[in-house]
Amino acid sequence: MRKTLIVGNWKMHLNTMQASILLHRLQERIRIHRDIEVVLAPSMLVLQPLSLQIDRRKFRLAAQNAYHKDMGAFTGEVSFTMLRDLVHYAIIGHSERRLIFGETLTDISEKVAAAVRNGITPILCVGETKTDRLAKHTKRVLHDQVVTALKNLTSEDVEEIVIAYEPIWAISTFGGELATPNLVKEAMDYIRHQISELYGKKTAEKVRVLYGGSVDDQIARGYMEIDGCDGVLVGGASTSYHKFSGIVDAAYRMQRELGEET
Ligand code: PGA
């Protein structure tokens, strides 16, 4: 069974003090759960102090980005090698990285390879723009993003990775239009189908696929209930104690109900 994953991407919000206070409050509220993993992705600056404060039975840490070279004269960058003892996951190819910082498909595949080489699990973000969708190019865009990002990996590597389907027009930064669960399911099925074509059905069944795009405590469950959806990647709502813990509560409730059914 694939574990449910709830990831909070704090983006460029919360200084060290604010981050520490939010973690402290979440830590009191969130329980240890065998089937649910809660991951926090704070800014690079805050990773180190949070790693000392964090209860590792309740949370895992993720980097929001890193550079693909392991070390060298790359002013201003931090490598996956430097992060390997600090984080379990790294978000790679987020649409803000692609659109604001101009990351290309090649950059992203190099980052995915560097993360895996350093024992860090990539959370690979993929998703189409509104223009792509209107032009009926969604599948082509998802195909290119998935295939190029994974191209340096073996099927054992791919089994471990996480893919977040984040239609760009649904992300709060770029419009925040709500995607219907049907549309999300169709895209997620297509992503898993691509992985199955490339690496086989067994691998595709192990990959966790998340949804991201304006998810908050009110609507998270609707996405988490989609067949084949393994959790959510939360941006804006993840820096709100009430909204983020509400999302984790929704995941607990779903697991409890599932347990009661079986
Ligand atoms: P949002 O961000 O939840 O604020 O839309 C999601 C993301 O950027 O991953």
Side-chain angles (χ1 to χ4, degrees):
M1 199 183 100
R2 301 187 298 262
K3 264 195 190 185
T4 299
L5 194 54
I6 315 263
V7 186
N9 174 10
W10 291 357
K11 307 192 179 182
M12 202 174 74
H13 296 292
L14 307 183
N15 62 26
T16 309
M17 179 68 88
Q18 292 163 330
S20 169
I21 293 169
L22 178 58
L23 175 64
H24 177 77
R25 296 181 74 199
L26 289 172
Q27 211 139 252
E28 288 195 330
R29 165 96 172 246
I30 283 168
R31 303 191 293 269
I32 300 167
H33 197 297
R34 204 187 45 192
D35 300 317
I36 300 172
E37 246 184 287
V38 183
V39 177
L40 302 176
S43 75
M44 204 62 102
L45 178 71
V46 167
L47 273 173
Q48 180 86 46
L50 281 204
S51 78
L52 302 174
Q53 186 187 342
I54 208 156
D55 180 342
R56 285 167 196 271
R57 295 165 308 166
K58 294 187 179 179
F59 300 98
R60 284 182 154 157
L61 287 174
Q64 297 176 15
N65 178 40
Y67 192 57
H68 70 278
K69 298 275 192 191
D70 289 344
M71 62 173 160
F74 303 105
T75 302
E77 295 297 317
V78 172
S79 70
F80 290 96
T81 313
M82 290 167 159
L83 290 167
R84 60 180 303 158
D85 297 325
L86 274 182
V87 302
H88 196 94
Y89 293 101
I91 299 173
I92 298 178
H94 189 278
S95 55
E96 287 153 19
R97 301 291 325 164
R98 294 181 196 256
L99 297 180
I100 303 172
F101 299 98
E103 285 189 11
T104 63
L105 294 174
T106 309
D107 294 333
I108 291 159
S109 74
E110 284 175 341
K111 288 184 184 209
V112 167
V116 171
R117 180 168 76 237
N118 284 288
I120 295 172
T121 303
I123 301 174
L124 170 70
C125 300
V126 297
E128 79 288 358
T129 62
K130 192 75 190 177
T131 316
D132 296 330
R133 178 155 285 277
L134 292 174
K136 303 203 182 318
H137 290 159
T138 301
K139 285 190 174 166
R140 200 175 73 201
V141 170
L142 294 178
H143 170 270
D144 293 351
Q145 290 176 343
V146 171
V147 171
T148 51
L150 305 185
K151 73 169 188 250
N152 300 315
L153 307 188
T154 64
S155 47
E156 286 80 53
D157 296 334
V158 174
E159 278 179 11
E160 299 295 320
I161 80 153
V162 178
I163 298 185
Y165 171 57
E166 300 205 303
I168 293 170
W169 45 273
I171 294 180
S172 57
T173 332
F174 300 114
E177 209 180 302
L178 287 187
T180 62
N182 279 347
L183 180 152
V184 172
K185 177 164 178 11
E186 199 185 318
M188 286 184 158
D189 286 349
Y190 180 72
I191 291 168
R192 221 183 274 284
H193 171 73
Q194 282 308 309
I195 300 188
S196 175
E197 296 270 287
L198 290 167
Y199 300 94
K201 199 157 178 266
K202 223 176 98 231
T203 302
E205 274 166 11
K206 292 203 174 152
V207 170
R208 284 182 291 173
V209 182
L210 312 182
Y211 177 68
S214 301
V215 174
D216 66 15
D217 51 325
Q218 304 299 315
I219 58 171
R221 182 163 178 152
Y223 293 117
M224 291 192 289
E225 276 175 346
I226 297 171
D227 186 27
C229 176
D230 301 304
V232 284
L233 173 50
V234 186
S238 69
T239 52
S240 151
Y241 165 75
H242 289 288
K243 289 185 183 168
F244 192 66
S245 46
I247 295 169
V248 178
D249 284 349
Y252 289 151
R253 269 198 301 280
M254 275 180 61
Q255 288 289 340
R256 203 168 46 238
E257 289 165 20
L258 267 175
E260 282 162 8
E261 273 171 26
T262 51

